Amino acid sequence: MLKVENLVVSYGMIEAIKGISFEVNDGEIVTLIGANGAGKTTTMHTISGLLKPVSGAIYLDGTDITKIPSHKIVSLGLAQVPERRRVFSQETVEENLELGAYTRRDKEEIAKDLENVFERFPRLRERRRQLAGTLSGGEQQMLAMGRALMAKPRIMLMDEPSMGLSPLLVHEIFRIIEEINKQGTTVLLVEQNAKMALGIADRAYVLETGKITLEGTGEQLANDERVRKAYLGG
Amino acid sequence: MAFLSYLINGLGLGSVYAIIALGYTMVYGIAKMLNFAHGDVIMVGAYVTYFALSLMKLPVLVSVLLAVAVSTLLGVTIERLAYKPLRQATSLSVLITAIGVSYFLQNGAQLLWGSSTKVFPSVISNGALALGGISISYLTLITVFVCLAVMGCLTLFINKTKTGKAMRACSEDKGAAALMGINVNQIISITFAIGSGLAAIAAFLLCATYPSVYPTLGSMPGIKAFTAAVFGGIGSIPGAFLGGLMLGIIEILAKAYISTQLSDAVVFAVLIIVLLIKPTGLLGRKLSEKV
C-alpha cells in the first residue's frame, strides 16, 4: 500500500534521512522505532508532504506521491496523527473533527463518521463544545486520532501517540490503534516506546541516525538481542 | 453635550480605522506578516473610487464596488508576486519587502496620476440627524453602520463557514491545517482578498470625510490602523474592531481637550501604556501551548 524507496531528506546542509526504504502492506501495522533524533518524524512529514525529499520516491498504491502537495495527499486516503497531537486548540472538539473531514463532500457519511468517532471516544462527545486546548493530553490524543479518522483514511500515520501519557492511557491508546487496524485501516506507527509498538506491530523497522539498521516481524525484533539492549532496557 | 458629539465623531473615525485594522490583523493572523503596503491599497482604492465617481460618473455604490474589485485583485497580486516567494524567508525579509511594495505603489500612483491632490466629490449629503441636542452627520452614521456590518459579516464568515474555519486552523498551525487537506496558499490568498477589499471600503469612507486624494494618502491611516490592530491585540478580529474604535475616540478627544498638534502623540502614548500593561494588546491571546 505504501512504499518508500531510497528516501533522502535534508535540513539545509544536514542530511536527516540517508536513503531509507521500507513498505507497509495492506492491513498491516508497521512500526518505525528509534531514539530521539533518529529521523522518525522527518520520515512521517516527508510521506505526508510537509517536507520535500532531496531524492527517493514515495508510492501510495502504486501512485508516486513524492511531489504531490500535502493538502492533496489526504484525499488519496492517507491521514496523519502528528507528533504532539497538534489539535487546533482555539477550536471546539467538534470543529476539529469537522476539519478532519475537510476534503470530503459526502455530508451524510461525514455525520455517520462523526457519530462513530464519538462512539469510539465517548469523552470527546462529552466535550464536543469545549475548546480543544482545554482537553487533557490523553483527550487531545484521542481527538487527534478521531480527527484523522474523519478523513476516512485507508492508511493512518501515527507519530508518537504515547508521548506524555500515563502508562494506563498508553495501553488504552494502543488498544484503540489495534481496533482501528482490525476494522480495516492500515497503520504506520512511529514510536519511542518500542516495547508497546513491537507488541502490536506485524512488522517493524529500526531507524538509527537516518538509516534503517534492522527489520523483521514485531516478534523477531522484540526478541532481538540488539533491540533489547538499545530500546527495551536490556 | 460637546463631549457626546466628540465621542460620536471619534466613533466615526474609529470605524474607519477598525475596517483598515481588520485587514492588518487578518493578514497577520494567517500569514504571520505585517503587510505595510496595506495603507497603499487604500490609496489605490481611493483613486479608483475617485475616477469612477468624477470621470466615469458612475453611481456611488457601483464606484465603491469597482474599487473593492480592483483592490481585491491588487492585494491578491501583491501577495502572489511579492510575498509568496518569501514563505520560507525570515520575517525581516518579508517586512522589508512589504515596505518596498508600499513605496512601489506610492511612486506608481505618482507616475500614473500625478502628485497633485485631487478633490474627492461630495457624495454623501451634508445633513445631520438631530438627536436631543446633539447632531450626528449622515456620514458618521453611515460609517459606523458600515463598520458594524463589516464586523458582523466577518464574524459570521470566520465562525460559520468552512473557509472561515479553515482560516482559523491556518492561523493556529499551518502544518496541521495542510494535513487536514486545507490548501494553505489558497487560504492566504483569500485572506489578502478580504483585507484588500475592506481597504477599498475604508478608502471611500475616509475620502468622504477628508475629500482629498493623493499618492501618500494611505500612509497615515495605515499606520494608525496598524496601531489600532496592535492596541487591540494583533491577530484578533474583535481586537482590531475594539482597537480601531478606541483609537478614533482617543484621537478626537485628544484633539478636543488636549491639543490638535499633540493628538497623535497622545494616541501613541496610550498605545505604549497599554502594551506595557498588557503586551499582547487588549484582546490578544497569551501565547501558551499545552504539551
Side-chain angles (χ1 to χ4, degrees):
Chain A
M1 163 164 269
L2 181 74
K3 197 171 178 189
V4 173
E5 273 181 10
N6 299 317
L7 199 68
V8 178
V9 189
S10 296
Y11 294 104
M13 298 292 287
I14 302 155
E15 213 169 68
I17 300 293
K18 301 162 180 167
I20 62 168
S21 301
F22 64 90
E23 63 183 310
V24 184
N25 299 316
D26 246 334
E28 277 186 321
I29 297 183
V30 170
T31 181
L32 288 179
I33 57 171
N36 226 343
K40 303 185 302 288
T41 295
T42 305
T43 307
M44 291 301 230
H45 281 181
T46 313
I47 296 172
S48 54
L50 288 179
L51 288 170
K52 292 295 162 200
V54 177
S55 63
I58 301 156
Y59 299 95
L60 182 63
D61 291 322
T63 318
D64 186 350
I65 59 164
T66 323
K67 292 197 166 57
I68 297 182
S70 51
H71 65 90
K72 287 190 180 151
I73 290 179
V74 192
S75 37
L76 297 176
L78 185 148
Q80 185 173 343
V81 182
E83 189 185 15
R84 292 182 294 110
R85 352 216 189 275
R86 289 169 78 168
V87 296
F88 300 108
S89 59
Q90 301 298 328
E91 310 214 16
T92 65
V93 167
E94 195 164 341
E95 282 169 336
N96 268 275
L97 293 172
E98 282 168 11
L99 281 165
Y102 186 77
T103 56
R104 294 172 57 187
R105 296 280 175 271
D106 46 342
K107 278 206 172 138
E108 281 168 29
E109 287 293 306
I110 294 176
K112 253 186 231 161
D113 286 340
L114 186 68
E115 196 50 40
N116 287 340
V117 168
F118 282 148
E119 243 150 62
R120 199 187 294 277
F121 304 107
R123 297 284 282 176
L124 296 185
R125 190 200 300 274
E126 284 168 34
R127 297 172 190 271
R128 63 198 290 177
R129 309 246 177 268
Q130 230 169 289
L131 291 184
T134 64
L135 301 183
S136 72
E139 289 163 349
Q140 288 192 12
Q141 185 60 50
M142 290 174 190
L143 179 57
M145 288 167 72
R147 190 178 64 173
L149 282 172
M150 289 299 290
K152 226 178 188 177
R154 285 174 296 126
I155 178 164
M156 219 159 133
L157 273 55
M158 300 201 206
D159 198 344
E160 303 273 7
S162 74
M163 192 188 270
L165 302 184
S166 71
L168 205 67
L169 266 171
V170 173
H171 278 276
E172 171 74 4
I173 294 287
F174 273 78
R175 188 189 59 75
I176 295 166
I177 295 173
E178 274 191 296
E179 196 180 287
I180 290 171
N181 175 252
K182 283 208 183 81
Q183 288 163 6
T185 310
T186 307
V187 173
L188 174 60
L189 172 68
V190 149
E191 259 300 340
Q192 276 192 60
N193 188 336
K195 192 177 172 205
M196 288 299 297
L198 291 175
I200 65 165
D202 296 304
R203 290 187 308 110
Y205 296 85
V206 176
L207 194 61
E208 277 172 10
T209 56
K211 283 185 186 142
I212 286 176
T213 51
L214 273 176
E215 61 175 281
T217 64
E219 210 184 330
Q220 277 169 354
L221 288 199
N223 293 319
D224 187 283
E225 199 52 37
R226 288 160 291 179
V227 175
R228 293 175 73 95
K229 274 222 169 86
Y231 302 105
L232 303 175
Chain B
M1 272 314 163
F3 176 77
L4 213 55
S5 69
Y6 291 140
L7 206 64
I8 288 162
N9 284 338
L11 215 56
L13 180 64
S15 295
V16 178
Y17 289 155
I19 296 173
I20 308 170
L22 285 170
Y24 264 113
T25 222
M26 283 180 74
V27 165
Y28 181 84
I30 310 279
K32 305 289 176 235
M33 67 162 290
L34 295 172
N35 179 20
F36 274 117
H38 192 58
D40 304 290
V41 175
I42 302 172
M43 176 271 294
V44 172
Y47 270 100
V48 173
T49 318
Y50 165 79
F51 286 126
L53 285 171
S54 39
L55 287 183
M56 295 154 78
K57 307 280 179 210
L58 293 174
V60 176
L61 201 63
V62 178
S63 305
V64 174
L65 285 177
L66 184 69
V68 168
V70 172
S71 295
T72 302
L73 204 65
L74 178 70
V76 173
T77 311
I78 291 172
E79 196 278 320
R80 276 285 155 79
L81 296 181
Y83 304 147
K84 194 180 168 196
L86 298 174
R87 222 28 76 70
Q88 308 300 328
T90 60
S91 54
L92 192 60
S93 314
V94 184
L95 187 69
I96 292 168
T97 306
I99 293 170
V101 171
S102 164
Y103 279 116
F104 177 83
L105 291 177
Q106 286 178 18
N107 290 320
Q110 202 166 353
L111 196 71
L112 281 174
W113 304 312
S115 52
S116 64
T117 299
K118 296 183 166 34
V119 180
F120 197 79
S122 147
V123 284
I124 295 175
S125 101
N126 280 324
L129 188 72
L131 211 72
I134 52 162
S135 72
I136 310 169
S137 75
Y138 289 141
L139 180 59
T140 306
L141 278 177
I142 291 172
T143 307
V144 174
F145 173 78
V146 169
C147 177
L148 289 175
V150 161
M151 185 60 197
C153 291
L154 212 53
T155 307
L156 277 179
F157 174 75
I158 294 286
N159 290 316
K160 298 290 171 209
T161 68
K162 199 169 174 180
T163 310
K165 286 175 186 172
M167 280 173 126
R168 280 156 59 206
C170 283
S171 90
E172 249 193 80
D173 186 339
K174 286 194 194 56
L179 289 179
M180 303 298 109
I182 296 168
N183 183 345
V184 176
N185 279 324
Q186 189 189 38
I187 295 294
I188 292 177
S189 276
I190 294 173
T191 310
F192 269 84
I194 295 173
S196 306
L198 292 181
I201 295 175
F204 171 74
L205 297 171
L206 195 69
C207 290
T209 317
Y210 306 104
S212 28
V213 180
Y214 50 96
T216 54
L217 138 95
S219 303
M220 212 47 199
I223 289 176
K224 292 271 182 62
F226 167 62
T227 310
V230 175
F231 190 53
I234 189 124
S236 155
I237 287 180
F241 177 71
L242 185 68
L245 294 185
M246 292 202 44
L247 202 77
I249 292 169
I250 294 168
E251 184 176 330
I252 297 287
L253 291 183
K255 270 191 179 135
Y257 293 111
I258 300 173
S259 142
T260 318
Q261 282 84 24
L262 275 179
S263 69
D264 286 347
V266 173
V267 165
F268 288 105
V270 172
L271 172 76
I272 291 168
I273 292 166
V274 167
L275 291 185
L276 280 175
I277 299 166
K278 199 165 181 302
T280 49
L282 294 173
L283 301 180
R285 278 195 209 103
K286 260 206 310 247
L287 296 168
S288 67
E289 194 186 351
K290 198 168 190 172
V291 182

